[in-house]
C-alpha cells in the first residue's frame, strides 16, 4: 500500500478504508490522540492510538516533533473538529524528538524567535501556510506567462556589467583576499581574476532580458537578485527573487495593462486554489487586530483586501499629479512627513507612497512619468524632455511592489544619457547594439516576489516570506 498524504485523506471524496500515512506529531493528547501533520496542507489528521494495546515505550516516544509511520483504518470521527480520523493499528517511530529540547513547542512563538529557527519554522501553521502560498504564487506566475505566449529566459546570476544602476552590488571573485594581484597603480588587478574582469552578482536580469525580447518577442525572467544596500528594513532583502517580463513593440500603457492583469491573475489563482491557507492567515490577522487599538486596525481583512485588488482597477496617476496631491496633503502641511514635498522633482519616499495608496486613493496605484533624473538611464525620455516613461506600482501596506518602464529605443538619445551619467559605452556595447539593429519600442517591469508574498499572506516582515532570509549581518543557514 502506498502511503497517502493527509491532504488526500481529508479530501471530500475519500472512501473509508485501510490507510498508511507518514508525518510529524504536532501534539499527543491523553495518551490517545495524535494530531499529525505532513505539510501537504494546513490540516492535521487525528490518529487515535489504542493505548491499551500499544507498548509503553512506543507511547513515550510519541512526542511533539517526532516523525512517525502510521497504519490504520480511516473512519468517521467520533469527536468534534474533524470529519474523519485514523484508528491506529500500527505505529512506527521513524525519528524521535526530545520534547525537552525541541524548539517548536505546541504554543505561540514570536516571529523573531522563529526566524532563528528558520530550519524548523515551517513546522508551524503560519509558516507552512506562507510557504505553500509562496510555492503556489510561483506556479501561478509561470502559468500566467506560459498561457500568454511568453518565453522563460534564464538571465545570468554573475554579471560583468555594473551599469544597471539598481543598487550596490556584491563582488564575485576568487582572488586571494589577503594578497590580491595589484596593478602598477596599486589597485586590485581584476584582469587576473577568474573572469579576467570585475564581476558581480546581478541586481536585475532586465538588460539581458531586453536582448531576448528583441528576438523572442515576449519573455520573462524569474530568478534571484542581489543588492548590497545596507537597508535593514522590513521590506528589503539582500537576496530576493524578481519577476521581470519584457515585451517588444509594447509601450508604457501596454506595460501597465500587463502588470495589472498579471497581478490580478496570480492573486486570483491563490484565492481559488489555496483557500484553507488564506483563511487561516486571514483569521491570524484578525486575531492580531483585536489586540490593537481601534485606530491601528486594518480596515479590510486579508481576504477582503485580496478580493478588492482582483475586483478593482488600479488607479493610474502621473508623478506630477501625485506631487500636487502630496504638496497639499495634511501631513505635508502639518510637517508630519520626514521629507516634506516642496517642489516638482522630489524623489518619493515610502512615507509618500504609503500616503497615496493607504490614505488618499485607498487602492493600488500606478504612478507614471517620473522626472528623468530620479530614474534609471534606460527609461524612454518623454517629449517634454524632463520626464521618462517610468511606472511604479504601489500597494497598500507594502509601498512599491513593481518598478518598470518603456525603454529608450533611440540610439542617439540613449548614448547622450549614458554620457551624462558617465556610463561606459564599451561596457554596454551589446545593449547599444539592440538600438542599432532593428530597434523598436519595448517595455517591461520587475515585480519583487517577496513583496507580492507579503501582500498575499499579510505578513509584515519580508524576512518571514522567504525560507532563509539574507540581510545585513545575517546569512545563517
Ligand atoms: O525598482 P527596481 O529596482 O527595478 C528594477 O530592478 C528594474 N530593472 C525592473 C525592470 O524594469 N525589469 O526593482 C523592482 C522591484 C521593486 O519594485 C521591489 O518590489 C523589488 O523589486 N525590490 C526588492 N525586494 C526586496 N528587497 C530589496 N532589496 C528590493 N529591491 C527591489
Ligand atoms: Mg524601483
Amino acid at each position: 500500500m502506498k502511503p497517502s498524504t493527509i491532504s488526500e485523506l481529508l479530501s471530500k471524496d475519500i472512501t473509508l478504508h485501510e490507510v498508511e500515512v507518514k508525518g510529524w506529531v504536532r501534539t499527543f493528547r491523553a495518551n490517545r490522540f495524535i494530531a499529525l501533520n505532513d505539510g501537504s496542507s494546513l490540516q492535521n489528521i487525528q490518529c487515535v492510538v489504542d493505548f491499551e494495546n500499544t507498548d509503553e515505550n512506543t507511547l513515550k516516544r510519541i512526542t511533539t516533533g517526532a516523525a512517525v509511520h502510521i497504519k490504520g483504518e480511516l473512519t468517521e470521527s467520533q469527536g468534534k473538529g474533524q470529519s474523519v480520523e485514523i484508528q491506529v493499528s500500527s505505529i512506527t517511530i521513524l525519528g524521535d524528538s526530545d520534547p525537552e529540547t525541541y524548539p517548536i513547542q505546541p504554543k505561540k512563538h514570536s516571529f523573531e524567535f522563529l526566524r532563528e529557527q528558520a530550519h524548523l519554522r515551517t513546522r508551524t501553521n503560519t509558516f507552512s501556510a506562507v510557504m505553500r502560498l509562496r510555492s503556489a504564487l510561483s506556479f501561478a506566475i509561470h502559468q500566467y506567462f506560459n498561457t500568454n505566449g511568453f518565453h522563460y529566459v534564464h538571465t545570468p546570476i554573475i554579471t560583468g556589467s555594473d551599469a544597471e544602476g539598481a543598487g550596490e552590488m556584491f563582488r564575485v571573485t576568487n582572488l586571494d583576499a589577503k594578497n590580491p594581484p595589484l596593478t602598477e597603480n596599486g589597485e586590485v588587478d581584476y584582469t587576473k581574476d577568474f573572469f579576467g574582469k570585475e564581476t558581480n552578482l546581478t541586481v536585475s536580469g532586465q538588460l539581458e532580458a531586453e536582448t531576448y525580447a528583441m528576438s523572442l518577442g515576449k519573455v520573462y525572467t524569474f530568478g534571484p537578485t542581489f543588492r548590497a544596500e545596507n537597508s535593514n528594513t522590513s521590506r528589503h532583502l539582500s537576496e530576493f527573487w524578481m519577476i521581470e517580463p519584457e515585451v517588444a513593440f509594447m509601450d508604457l500603457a501596454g506595460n501597465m495593462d500587463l502588470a495589472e492583469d498579471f497581478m490580478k491573475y496570480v492573486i486570483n489563482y491563490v484565492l481559488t486554489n489555496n483557500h484553507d491557507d488564506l483563511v487561516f492567515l486571514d483569521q491570524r490577522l484578525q486575531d492580531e487586530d483585536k489586540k490593537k487599538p481601534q485606530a491601528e486596525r486594518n480596515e479590510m481583512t486579508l481576504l477582503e483586501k485580496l478580493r478588492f485588488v482582483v475586483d478593482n482597477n488600479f488607479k493610474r496617476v502621473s508623478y506630477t499629479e501625485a506631487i500636487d496631491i502630496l504638496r497639499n496633503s495634511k501631513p505635508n502641511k502639518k510637517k508630519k512627513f520626514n521629507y516634506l514635498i516642496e517642489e516638482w522633482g522630489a524623489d518619493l519616499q515610502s512615507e509618500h507612497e504609503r500616503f497615496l495608496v493607504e490614505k488618499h486613493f485607498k487602492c493600488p496605484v500606478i504612478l507614471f512619468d517620473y522626472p528623468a533624473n530620479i530614474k534609471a538611464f534606460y527609461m524612454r525620455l518623454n517629449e517634454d524632455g524632463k520626464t521618462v516613461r517610468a511606472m511604479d506600482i504601489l500597494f497598500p501596506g507594502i509601498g512599491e511592489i513593481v518598478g518598470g518602464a518603456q525603454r529608450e529605443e533611440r540610439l542617439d538619445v540613449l548614448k547622450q544619457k549614458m554620457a551624462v551619467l558617465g556610463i561606459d559605452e564599451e561596457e554596454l556595447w551589446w545593449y547599444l547594439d539592440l538600438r542599432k539593429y532593428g530597434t523598436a519600442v519595448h517595455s517591461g517591469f520587475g515585480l519583487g516576489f517577496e513583496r507580492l508574498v507579503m501582500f498575499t499572506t499579510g505578513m509584515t516582515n519580508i524576512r518571514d516570506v522567504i525560507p532563509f532570509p539574507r540581510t545585513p549581518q545575517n546569512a545563517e543557514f
Side-chain angles (χ1 to χ4, degrees):
M1 185 167 42
K2 184 173 146 284
S4 311
T5 65
I6 292 171
S7 148
E8 286 163 358
L9 295 183
L10 296 179
S11 67
K12 299 264 175 323
D13 44 0
I14 193 90
T15 51
L16 304 179
H17 63 312
E18 283 291 319
V19 296
E20 247 186 74
V21 60
K22 295 176 184 177
W24 294 270
V25 175
R26 281 287 175 84
T27 56
F28 185 39
R29 185 163 60 78
N31 234 8
R32 198 171 161 79
F33 303 105
I34 302 174
L36 192 73
N37 191 282
D38 66 356
S40 57
S41 81
L42 190 71
Q43 306 307 324
N44 301 327
I45 194 158
Q46 173 155 292
C47 306
V48 186
V49 179
D50 177 5
F51 62 93
E52 282 167 352
N53 295 308
T54 306
D55 102 88
E56 190 76 13
N57 186 41
T58 304
L59 284 175
K60 273 198 203 128
R61 293 171 63 201
I62 306 174
T63 56
T64 298
V68 297
H69 182 181
I70 282 173
K71 294 181 188 169
E73 177 101 25
L74 191 69
T75 60
E76 269 170 46
S77 179
Q78 317 295 308
K80 275 193 251 153
Q82 65 274 322
S83 55
V84 293
E85 61 192 17
I86 299 175
Q87 302 299 329
V88 178
S89 58
S90 108
I91 175 163
T92 312
I93 311 291
L94 301 173
D96 290 282
S97 171
D98 180 351
E100 295 299 313
T101 58
Y102 183 56
I104 311 296
Q105 297 293 324
K107 63 161 200 175
K108 216 169 144 62
H109 293 291
S110 75
F111 290 163
E112 289 77 11
F113 169 79
L114 290 171
R115 246 169 254 151
E116 290 166 8
Q117 306 293 331
H119 59 308
L120 294 171
R121 66 178 173 172
T122 31
R123 295 202 193 172
T124 65
N125 283 337
T126 300
F127 284 92
S128 69
V130 167
M131 294 307 164
R132 272 188 301 272
L133 279 161
R134 183 179 167 109
S135 167
L137 283 167
S138 160
F139 174 77
I141 287 163
H142 285 296
Q143 190 172 63
Y144 177 84
F145 288 123
N146 188 262
T147 53
N148 284 288
F150 284 71
H151 306 289
Y152 180 29
V153 189
H154 300 106
T155 50
I157 308 287
I158 298 174
T159 175
S161 67
D162 62 1
E164 283 142 12
E168 294 291 312
M169 304 180 98
F170 289 100
R171 177 158 297 144
V172 176
T173 178
N174 71 345
L175 292 178
D176 181 356
K178 277 198 198 128
N179 189 19
L182 299 178
T183 62
E184 282 174 8
N185 308 332
E187 281 165 12
V188 176
D189 185 2
Y190 287 104
T191 63
K192 305 256 166 56
D193 204 347
F194 190 88
F195 296 105
K197 63 188 288 195
E198 276 190 69
T199 50
N200 292 288
L201 292 178
T202 188
V203 293
S204 155
Q206 178 199 324
L207 303 193
E208 290 90 351
E210 279 186 54
T211 71
Y212 270 63
M214 297 311 282
S215 49
L216 301 186
K218 296 206 269 184
V219 301
Y220 73 105
T221 70
F222 186 172
T225 50
F226 307 86
R227 297 190 187 182
E229 300 146 297
N230 204 358
S231 37
N232 235 325
T233 77
S234 58
R235 300 180 311 129
H236 288 89
L237 290 165
S238 312
E239 176 181 285
F240 64 99
W241 288 65
M242 192 164 26
I243 298 101
E244 296 182 274
E246 194 68 35
V247 182
F249 314 116
M250 184 176 77
D251 63 9
L252 188 66
N255 207 19
M256 294 189 211
D257 292 342
L258 174 66
E260 185 168 343
D261 188 53
F262 162 63
M263 297 188 71
K264 286 178 170 171
Y265 178 91
V266 297
I267 292 172
N268 196 41
Y269 178 91
V270 290
L271 278 171
T272 313
N273 293 283
N274 297 72
H275 194 248
D276 283 1
D277 285 329
L278 284 176
V279 167
F280 172 79
L281 292 170
D282 181 273
Q283 193 56 50
R284 188 192 81 76
L285 275 178
Q286 290 189 45
D287 295 344
E288 289 290 302
D289 258 9
K290 283 186 197 133
K291 297 180 203 150
K292 293 184 195 159
Q294 192 76 34
E296 285 169 35
R297 293 184 193 170
N298 290 296
E299 282 173 29
M300 285 187 222
T301 68
L302 177 64
L303 285 166
E304 284 168 351
K305 221 171 57 173
L306 297 180
R307 289 210 185 89
F308 183 85
V309 167
V310 170
D311 293 339
N312 289 281
N313 292 334
F314 295 6
K315 180 86 185 158
R316 302 182 186 193
V317 185
S318 75
Y319 167 90
T320 304
E321 289 170 72
I323 284 290
D324 281 340
I325 293 167
L326 289 168
R327 210 192 271 138
N328 297 317
S329 69
K330 251 197 204 154
N332 203 55
K333 290 189 164 155
K334 296 196 164 163
K335 304 203 188 314
K336 287 273 158 59
F337 285 140
N338 290 322
Y339 296 84
L340 295 180
I341 297 289
E342 270 144 19
E343 54 198 71
W344 192 93
D347 203 354
L348 300 184
Q349 306 295 325
S350 67
E351 57 180 345
H352 308 129
E353 297 176 339
R354 296 187 66 165
F355 174 83
L356 289 171
V357 266
E358 286 159 25
K359 298 278 172 335
H360 190 83
F361 291 110
K362 295 179 189 277
C363 71
V365 172
I366 311 184
L367 285 187
F368 62 94
D369 284 352
Y370 281 74
N373 57 6
I374 59 170
K375 287 290 182 186
F377 77 95
Y378 49 71
M379 297 186 178
R380 175 67 155 78
L381 192 65
N382 275 315
E383 275 57 55
D384 62 14
K386 55 178 195 172
T387 60
V388 286
R389 283 181 202 163
M391 65 170 208
D392 276 4
I393 303 185
L394 315 178
F395 261 40
I398 306 290
E400 180 191 334
I401 192 164
V402 162
Q406 183 176 322
R407 318 305 186 188
E408 184 54 77
E409 84 285 12
R410 297 162 300 180
L411 184 64
D412 53 338
V413 182
L414 187 60
K415 277 185 166 176
Q416 220 178 344
K417 191 78 170 284
M418 287 168 64
V420 171
L421 294 172
I423 300 170
D424 199 351
E425 280 186 27
E426 267 165 40
E427 198 185 313
L428 286 181
W429 63 274
W430 50 274
Y431 191 69
L432 292 170
D433 261 8
L434 295 179
R435 279 74 185 167
K436 277 189 209 154
Y437 308 114
T439 193
V441 164
H442 63 287
S443 305
F445 62 84
L447 165 68
F449 186 49
E450 284 73 22
R451 294 199 184 166
L452 174 69
V453 182
M454 284 173 79
F455 181 75
T456 313
T457 57
M459 300 297 276
T460 51
N461 193 313
I462 200 163
R463 293 168 177 81
D464 296 332
V465 300
I466 187 165
F468 300 105
R470 270 78 182 97
T471 50
Q473 299 299 312
N474 168 42
E476 192 65 41
F477 307 101

